[in-house]
Amino acid sequence: MGQWMDGYLQKLARLREENARGGGEELQARQRELGKLTARQRIERLLDPDSFEEIGSAVRDTRPPLDGRSRPSPGDGVVMGLGRIAGRQVLVYALDFTVMGGALGDQAAWKLVELAQMAGRFRMPLIGIFDSAGERLSMADGAVGYSGLATLLRQYCLYSGVVPRIHLLLGPCTGLLAYLQVLADFLIMHRQNAFLWLGGEISTPGAGSADFHMRRSGQCDLVADSDQQALELARQLLEYLPQSCWERPPRLPFKEDAGRLLPELPGVLPDNPKFTYDMHEVIEQIVDDGRFLELKADYAPHLITGFARLGGRVVGLVANNPEELSGIFEPDSSDKYDRFMNILDAFHIPLVTLVDTTAFVPGDKWEKLGVIRHGAKLLHSYANLTCPKVTVVLRRSYGGGNIVMGCSRMYPDFVYGWPTMEFAPTGPETVVHAVFHKELEAARQKGNYEQVFNFYLGILKEMFSVFQMGQQWTTYYTVHEIIHPAETRARILRALEATADKHEELPERKRWIKPA
C-alpha cells in the first residue's frame, strides 16, 4: 500500500488504540481492583471467541463540557456491535464506567436507539451490560441531553415481545436509565456491585442492591456473585429463548423413552395432607436431566417460575410451592406469574403449571393491596395465551387459585390430575366451619368436637375429590384424565408433542385493556 493509504490506516489504528484504553489505564486499574471487568472484557467473555464486530467506535462526546474540562470519550462511553453466543447471532452493548462514570451521553443514547431498532429489524436478541452513573446532562444551548434517552426508552417499549432483551447490571444505574432495566425482559444483577435506584432519599438498609430488588421489589430475575457468573447466566438464559417472536426456541436432541415412568415421584407427597413439601423436588424429577433455571427465586417464593426442557423442548414452568405459605396467591406472586406467562406467550414457549394451592389470601390487608385486580390480571393474561398450555394438579386446587392456574374452563390444552387432588371453592375445613357450625358447637359441648369435625370433613373431601368431580366432563371442576403420578413426565411430553403446531385465534381487536 502507498503512503496515502498508510496515513489513513495509522489514523484508524490510533482510534482503535484509544478505544481500547477506554477512560484510561488508571480508571481501568480501578475497575479491576473492585473485582470488575472492563466493558470490552465483559463483551469478549459473553460472546463466542473472536465473534465481536464493533460498530459506532468513532463516536465521541462532541458537546462542550459544563466545567470546560475535556475528558476522553471513546465511543461516547458505549461499546456495541454484533457477536455470537453458541453460534447464534446477537447484538450487544456495554456502558463503560471508565468513561465519565459510564454516564449515558447524547450520542451514546442515539447509538443505542439504532441498535435497538436493528435488533427488531434483524430479528435477533439484544443484550445490554450496565455499569453507569446514570445520564450525562449538558445545559449548553438549552439542551439537557434527554432526547436520545427518551427515544431509546420508546424503542424498548415498541420492540417489547419482538426480540428477547437481556440486561446485566454489574454496577450502578440511577435516574431515568433505571427504567431501561425494567423494560428489558430479564435482569441479572451483581450481588455486591449492582445498584438500581430511580432517585430520592434512601432509608431502607440495602436499598437498591441486588438482594433488595430480588426479595423486595421483584425487579431482578437472577443474581450473580461475579461479572463472570453474570455473563454465564446470560448465555444460559439465551438457551431457552428464540431469536425473535417469529421463531421458536431451539430444541435440543434428547434420547430417552418418552413413556419413561418416575416411580419415586409419588413419594414426594407427605402421607398427611396437612403437611407441606417442596415443589422443587417434583420439578427436578420431571424436567430433562433435572435442569431448571429458576427466575425471581427469592421473590414471592411460594410461586416458582423458570425455564426447563422436556424431551428437548423448552417450557416455562409455573408451580405453587406448598413449602412456602402453603402455595398461596397474593399480589406479589400474581405479578411474578403475570409477567412470566406473557413472556412465554410472546416467544412461543409452552406453559406447564403444577398446581397445589390454597387459593388467594382473604382479608382486609390484602383487599387494600388490590388482591382482586391482581387476580383479574392473571385471568386476563391466561385467557389471552395462545402458546401450548398444560395443567397438572397434584393435590389442592382451591378457589381463585384453581382458575388462574389453568382449570378446565380457562381452556388449557390438557388438564391432568393426580388421584390425590381436590377441587373446592375454598378449603374443605373452611366449608365445614361455615356450614356445620351449629353441629360443631354442639359437639364441643359434648366433648367430641374432633370426631364430628373429621366426620364432616371426610364427607366434603370425598365430594371434592377428583374421582367425584371428574364424573362430569362439562363441570368447572374436572380434568381430561386422572393419572398416576409416575406418568406425569410422559403425559406432559405427549401433550407438548400434540400441541406443537396448535393454532388458536383470539377475537379481533385494536388492543386489549388489562386490569391495572
Side-chain angles (χ1 to χ4, degrees):
M1 289 179 284
Q3 293 182 352
W4 179 75
M5 177 59 74
D6 287 345
Y8 286 108
L9 293 178
Q10 290 171 7
K11 191 173 183 178
L12 176 60
R14 288 194 296 271
L15 174 72
R16 290 180 172 176
E17 289 173 4
E18 183 181 326
N19 287 337
R21 290 194 297 270
E25 291 294 335
E26 183 178 341
L27 291 174
Q28 288 191 346
R30 176 61 178 155
Q31 283 282 95
R32 290 190 288 271
E33 290 173 5
L34 294 172
K36 295 182 177 183
L37 300 171
T38 66
R40 292 183 178 277
Q41 286 175 330
R42 287 165 173 167
I43 289 177
E44 289 170 0
R45 297 192 185 189
L46 171 69
L47 301 176
D48 296 345
D50 302 319
S51 70
F52 181 56
E53 294 186 6
E54 187 172 1
I55 58 177
S57 66
V59 175
R60 296 294 185 269
D61 185 356
T62 57
R63 296 185 178 194
L66 287 174
D67 59 5
R69 293 172 51 198
S70 179
R71 298 171 177 83
S73 60
D76 201 18
V78 170
V79 183
M80 71 182 202
L82 301 94
R84 292 183 182 274
I85 293 179
R88 296 170 56 186
Q89 292 195 90
V90 298
L91 289 167
V92 62
Y93 65 93
L95 276 65
D96 188 346
F97 194 81
T98 69
V99 178
M100 290 180 267
L104 188 69
D106 177 72
Q107 291 302 300
W110 286 107
K111 282 173 60 173
L112 295 182
V113 166
E114 182 147 2
L115 195 70
Q117 293 171 336
M118 292 168 69
R121 195 163 66 246
F122 301 162
R123 298 181 177 181
M124 63 176 65
L126 179 63
I127 302 175
I129 305 173
F130 288 79
D131 191 354
S132 167
E135 307 86 42
R136 191 189 318 154
L137 300 181
S138 171
M139 302 298 178
D141 301 321
V144 294
Y146 280 152
S147 182
L149 175 56
T151 306
L152 176 60
L153 292 170
R154 182 174 185 270
Q155 295 305 311
Y156 260 68
C157 295
L158 292 177
Y159 285 104
S160 173
V162 178
V163 295
R165 287 90 49 89
I166 301 172
H167 280 193
L168 297 84
L169 184 55
L170 306 182
C173 182
T174 60
L176 291 180
L177 201 57
Y179 285 125
L180 207 61
Q181 311 312 314
V182 183
L183 287 173
D185 301 313
F186 304 97
L187 176 60
I188 302 168
M189 295 182 69
H190 191 295
R191 190 182 304 277
Q192 287 78 33
N193 297 333
F195 177 77
L196 181 63
W197 198 253
L198 182 62
E201 181 182 354
I202 296 177
S203 56
T204 303
S209 68
D211 286 338
F212 175 87
H213 287 295
M214 170 62 81
R215 298 176 183 274
R216 303 288 292 276
S217 76
Q219 292 167 166
C220 173
D221 292 286
L222 295 163
V223 175
D225 291 315
S226 66
D227 281 13
Q228 185 61 44
Q229 186 185 21
L231 299 169
E232 291 171 357
L233 284 172
R235 290 179 63 96
Q236 185 178 349
L237 185 55
L238 191 63
E239 294 177 9
Y240 297 101
L241 300 170
Q243 288 294 95
S244 73
C245 67
W246 310 110
E247 299 182 21
R248 297 187 181 188
R251 183 180 181 185
L252 300 182
F254 192 81
K255 297 180 180 180
E256 181 196 278
D257 178 11
R260 178 174 66 90
L261 300 181
L262 304 173
E264 296 181 3
L265 190 55
V268 172
L269 293 189
D271 291 333
N272 189 333
K274 294 182 180 180
F275 290 176
T276 65
Y277 63 95
D278 189 349
M279 186 66 82
H280 291 93
E281 296 180 34
V282 176
I283 294 172
E284 288 172 7
Q285 292 196 47
I286 290 175
V287 301
D288 291 358
D289 300 322
R291 291 187 59 196
F292 177 58
L293 181 61
E294 186 170 0
L295 303 175
K296 301 186 189 298
D298 295 321
Y299 181 69
H302 38 286
L303 187 79
I304 301 168
T305 59
F307 291 114
R309 277 192 166 81
L310 282 160
R313 284 190 174 91
V314 175
V315 299
L317 278 168
V318 176
N320 310 112
N321 190 9
E323 186 81 348
E324 301 282 348
L325 300 178
S326 298
I328 62 167
F329 272 104
E330 41 68 64
D332 287 348
S333 58
S334 298
D335 285 342
K336 178 178 178 178
Y337 181 18
D338 182 67
R339 177 173 175 79
F340 187 61
M341 79 166 96
N342 279 280
I343 289 174
L344 299 182
D345 198 39
F347 296 119
H348 305 287
I349 300 172
L351 168 63
V352 176
T353 53
L354 303 176
V355 187
D356 190 344
T357 178
T358 54
F360 283 83
V361 288
D364 181 77
K365 170 186 174 181
W366 302 105
E367 295 287 348
K368 290 177 181 177
L369 293 173
V371 68
I372 297 174
R373 63 180 171 85
H374 279 85
K377 183 164 57 177
L378 295 181
L379 292 173
H380 183 279
S381 290
Y382 196 99
N384 283 281
L385 293 180
T386 59
C387 62
K389 305 178 286 285
V390 182
T391 300
V392 181
V393 186
L394 282 66
R395 195 168 60 168
R396 300 163 301 180
S397 190
Y398 297 164
N402 174 53
I403 190 169
V404 301
M405 288 295 278
C407 75
S408 63
R409 293 311 107 187
M410 289 301 284
Y411 294 96
D413 300 298
F414 290 95
V415 185
Y416 297 117
W418 287 13
T420 48
M421 67 164 292
E422 298 173 354
F423 287 119
T426 187
E429 292 83 359
T430 303
V431 177
V432 171
H433 285 294
V435 176
F436 302 106
H437 58 280
K438 292 182 180 179
E439 291 84 351
L440 291 175
E441 181 57 32
R444 190 189 306 277
Q445 294 176 5
K446 292 181 179 179
N448 63 337
Y449 178 90
E450 287 295 326
Q451 180 183 352
V452 172
F453 178 86
N454 289 331
F455 171 74
Y456 287 122
L457 181 63
I459 293 175
L460 285 176
K461 280 184 169 289
E462 184 63 29
M463 290 174 56
F464 294 152
S465 166
V466 66
F467 291 99
Q468 182 69 29
M469 293 294 189
Q471 293 180 26
Q472 297 188 56
W473 185 261
T474 56
T475 185
Y476 171 77
Y477 294 125
T478 193
V479 295
H480 287 119
E481 187 64 21
I482 305 171
I483 65 171
H484 191 294
E487 301 170 354
T488 302
R489 174 179 164 86
R491 288 281 186 165
I492 298 174
L493 285 176
R494 187 66 183 89
L496 294 175
E497 182 181 351
T499 57
D501 296 314
K502 67 171 279 193
H503 176 69
E504 188 170 346
E505 292 188 358
L506 300 175
E508 186 177 351
R509 65 192 126 183
K510 182 179 179 181
R511 66 170 297 149
W512 63 48
I513 303 172
K514 180 184 288 190

